[in-house]
Amino acid sequence: MSDEVRTFVIAQLTDMNYDVEDIDDDTTLGPAGVDLESLALADLAVRVEDRYGLTFAEDENEKLALMTVGEFTRMVAERVSATATSDLG
């Protein structure tokens, strides 16, 4: 699931006109990394929410800026798995 989420996130960053050539799992989403500003982070979060049926709390935006691409994709994959598991039960 993490690989699928990572592929989706990279595709969305490309669609948002960010240079993804040097992005790896250790690249931060915020400053000194991808350099997403708050509006771009919100846009990415909405795209992920729409694709995977998740909801991010408003106070998570600051946390997202500090996350690496790898941390973000793992978090999304874990939430998707948890949601799928709870839907089955």
Side-chain angles (χ1 to χ4, degrees):
M1 175 55 76
S2 282
D3 289 341
E4 177 191 327
V5 173
R6 186 182 193 287
T7 300
F8 178 79
V9 167
I10 297 299
Q12 297 314 300
L13 291 172
T14 301
D15 187 57
M16 294 163 64
N17 295 317
Y18 284 90
D19 180 12
V20 297
E21 189 173 317
D22 295 326
I23 291 178
D24 62 26
D25 281 350
D26 295 326
T27 305
T28 59
L29 291 171
V34 181
D35 202 22
L36 297 179
E37 295 177 6
S38 59
L39 283 176
L41 274 168
D43 185 12
L44 179 61
V46 167
R47 291 170 184 233
V48 169
E49 288 175 339
D50 289 348
R51 171 66 177 87
Y52 294 103
L54 302 175
T55 304
F56 293 103
E58 286 185 32
D59 64 346
E60 284 187 290
N61 244 10
E62 288 180 29
K63 293 178 193 172
L64 296 181
L66 300 175
M67 288 184 153
T68 64
V69 171
E71 290 168 339
F72 179 69
T73 56
R74 280 189 299 278
M75 177 193 69
V76 170
E78 288 169 7
R79 288 187 182 187
V80 170
S81 296
T83 301
T85 302
S86 68
D87 287 348
L88 295 175

